[in-house]
Amino acid sequence: MAPQRFREQFDQIQRSMPDVPLAMGPDDSADFIYEKGVVLARDGEEARIVEDTVRTHFAETTGLVADSVRRGGAETNRSGITRIEVGDPGEGDQRGDRAVAGALRALRAVEGRAGHRLVSRNHVVHIAPVNACPGDEPVPAPLDQPPNPAAAEAAYDPDTAVGVLVIDTGLMKDHGSYPLLAHTRGDLQIKETGDDGALEQYVGHGTFIAGLLAAVAPNTDLTVRNTLNDAGAILESEFGDKLFEAVDRDGWPDIISLSAGTPNGRPDGLLGLQAFMEELRTQRTLLVAAAGNNGSATPFWPAAHATLPAWEDSVVSVGALRSDGEFGACFSNHGGWVKVYAPGERLTSSLTGFATPVPYVYRHSTYDSCRYGFTYACTCQYPRHAGQLSEEQQAGGGKPDQVMFEGFAHWSGTSFATPVVAGMIASHMVAHKETDPRAAARQLLTAHAEFAEVRGAHVPALRPPTWRPVPVVALATGT
């Protein structure tokens, strides 16, 4: 029986949010995760319209009346979002929420008259490897093997360094033992290990990303915030405010590297992030965002803003290439909304720092064949290991595999292609004395982008000069 990654990740995220009942959506499949019994609307008149419409719709249905509205003031809810309770979150199971679905249906006619969206599910936003189909889990790399991409030959100069903000899971406490991260600042991971002394799931994610960025662009002022500390997951209704908090602490940076998001089945983004995205447009900051690891063409937000007319200059969406750099990685999301691809399979960076070896117990089992139908030795299958969550789901009773990390790791995902692109843009800014990150992104994509093949299409690709391609092993004819 194949591992059920979405189910495993759903259960893991639910454990990290014990007080928030969650459901899978949309209601006839499992593409995203959202809060049961709640919808979102903009503060003020639109929230009143949504509440009144839902109340009227459910007037004759016991337990499905919007009986509570929580409105945040300007200081506590900068995103301007109201949570409206539309049902009992304890009703039904985790395969959907008929109260939320009913509320969305009730607003369709009103939204048609208004000409824009009024209501939304409260989605769970997560780091890309946690999105129901993680690229893979980290694998220990030998300490005598250099990082990949290797460190570029450039010195750190605080007077000319490009400011980069990484929104992620925070830094490992001993990250400074890795020379490339010696001047990196920010928040520490709140909890690194469990009661058994083993690394928690996806800790080190922010440190790994910072290491990639510092390798590609050593002349950067890197700040890492632990906005996504709890299993890399946060509710949409909270995420917008957390993004504002992150930029308010140090000012808007040149570049934001964000390896997080969610699909929502819509072409117009996340309601809870709209205020932040509108503010981003007025700044000079460039958002470089991961396209996600669902192996899907469904837009993944906020990365998919990259091809919306209002955000074409302010957002770069990044997909992942496989280890040879010639084709798309099996797990990478794809489609016209992905602006550029970069190496994102089996990259090598610092995971834990180098002070103390620490164990890790695998959560997911590998598959017998690629779950996306690819015919090369992809991360779905190799390296082989048995995972704790997969064993629990299958009631196999087997013992999960454990490894030791001593600093470096191999890891795959659009999460890691993203800082590669962010670093290349920052490096371009330094080399060409370009002070506008958005102009730098345009210049880089216009003059220096090469091409790769992704699902039969030739797409723009950026490959760092210090990145070393790794030949892939074909399991059968094809790619």
Side-chain angles (χ1 to χ4, degrees):
M1 180 179 179
Q4 301 297 316
R5 291 284 178 90
F6 190 97
R7 179 78 249 182
E8 294 166 15
Q9 286 297 325
F10 179 92
D11 290 344
Q12 181 75 359
I13 291 173
Q14 181 65 87
R15 281 193 286 267
S16 77
M17 299 179 171
D19 300 324
V20 182
L22 300 175
M24 304 175 189
D27 301 307
D28 58 350
S29 63
D31 293 336
F32 51 76
I33 301 170
Y34 65 99
E35 183 181 11
K36 292 181 69 177
V38 169
V39 296
L40 304 181
R42 298 177 187 85
D43 284 343
E45 179 64 15
E46 290 194 6
R48 185 194 63 77
I49 292 172
V50 170
E51 184 186 11
D52 289 348
T53 302
V54 173
R55 189 185 299 277
T56 300
H57 182 75
F58 289 139
E60 298 180 356
T61 308
T62 303
L64 297 179
V65 178
D67 56 5
S68 175
V69 177
R70 301 176 184 178
R71 301 177 184 270
E75 295 182 357
T76 59
N77 187 8
R78 188 168 168 187
S79 293
I81 293 298
T82 294
R83 295 172 70 257
I84 302 177
E85 297 181 9
V86 297
D88 181 0
E91 289 191 355
D93 57 25
Q94 298 168 328
R95 293 173 295 181
D97 187 325
R98 65 189 185 95
V100 170
L104 298 179
R105 287 194 298 271
L107 267 297
R108 285 175 185 167
V110 181
E111 288 178 328
R113 292 192 293 272
H116 64 272
R117 180 167 46 149
L118 300 175
V119 67
S120 167
R121 293 179 175 89
N122 192 14
H123 301 87
V124 173
V125 179
H126 34 68
I127 60 176
V130 181
N131 67 14
C133 289
D136 70 350
E137 293 178 80
V139 177
L143 290 177
D144 60 358
Q145 183 178 102
N148 190 21
E153 293 183 2
Y156 171 66
D157 175 9
D159 293 330
T160 60
V162 175
V164 181
L165 173 62
V166 175
I167 304 292
D168 212 84
T169 61
L171 292 161
M172 302 296 278
K173 64 179 181 295
D174 60 348
H175 68 277
S177 59
Y178 184 40
L180 281 177
L181 297 182
H183 63 271
T184 300
R185 62 191 180 93
D187 304 324
L188 295 180
Q189 179 86 36
I190 294 176
K191 185 180 181 182
E192 294 186 4
T193 59
D195 295 338
D196 59 357
L199 289 170
E200 296 277 22
Q201 189 175 27
Y202 298 112
V203 301
H205 192 263
T207 302
F208 194 93
I209 285 172
L212 292 170
L213 245 162
V216 175
N219 196 16
T220 48
D221 274 325
L222 275 176
T223 302
V224 181
R225 294 299 176 200
N226 63 358
T227 304
L228 295 159
N229 192 70
D230 293 333
I234 188 172
L235 288 172
E236 176 184 341
S237 57
E238 301 171 2
F239 190 44
D241 286 344
K242 291 293 185 180
L243 289 174
F244 276 123
E245 288 177 16
V247 296
D248 287 346
R249 290 179 67 173
D250 306 295
W252 287 81
D254 294 308
I255 299 170
I256 295 175
S257 180
L258 177 64
S259 294
T262 180
N264 67 349
R266 291 187 58 96
D268 53 359
L270 300 174
L271 199 63
L273 268 61
Q274 184 172 356
F276 179 83
M277 296 305 296
E278 291 290 348
E279 179 69 17
L280 174 71
R281 290 173 56 195
T282 70
Q283 302 291 333
R284 58 184 294 278
T285 297
L286 176 72
L287 174 63
V288 184
N293 303 325
N294 292 319
S296 169
T298 300
F300 188 83
W301 304 98
H305 278 277
T307 52
L308 295 184
W311 285 276
E312 286 179 330
D313 287 339
S314 54
V315 180
V316 174
S317 50
V318 184
L321 299 176
R322 69 186 194 183
S323 60
D324 64 359
E326 298 299 323
F327 297 88
C330 70
F331 52 78
S332 181
N333 283 349
H334 51 91
W337 55 274
V338 182
K339 186 171 285 187
V340 68
Y341 292 78
E345 189 173 69
R346 297 190 176 102
L347 301 182
T348 308
S349 180
S350 173
L351 181 76
T352 62
F354 298 83
T356 306
V358 60
Y360 178 77
V361 177
Y362 281 103
R363 269 52 171 191
H364 305 291
S365 296
T366 46
Y367 292 73
D368 292 333
S369 60
C370 176
R371 62 188 183 273
Y372 304 110
F374 280 63
T375 54
Y376 74 98
C378 67
T379 59
C380 297
Q381 306 161 78
Y382 300 103
R384 304 293 294 176
H385 52 251
Q388 184 176 22
L389 297 178
S390 298
E391 291 295 330
E392 290 174 358
Q393 286 293 322
Q394 298 176 40
K399 185 177 181 180
D401 292 325
Q402 178 175 305
V403 293
M404 294 293 294
F405 283 101
E406 299 182 79
F408 284 140
H410 303 305
W411 211 346
S412 305
T414 59
S415 274
F416 313 123
T418 297
V420 167
V421 171
M424 291 186 70
I425 295 170
S427 182
H428 182 90
M429 291 176 67
V430 173
H432 296 273
K433 296 182 172 56
E434 175 60 69
T435 59
D436 183 349
R438 299 180 182 183
R442 290 194 299 270
Q443 294 162 13
L444 193 63
L445 289 172
T446 300
H448 300 285
E450 300 171 314
F451 290 92
E453 184 176 322
V454 176
R455 309 272 177 158
H458 286 84
V459 298
L462 292 173
R463 304 176 182 91
T466 61
W467 170 75
R468 304 180 308 279
V470 179
V472 301
V473 177
L475 299 179
T477 302
T479 56

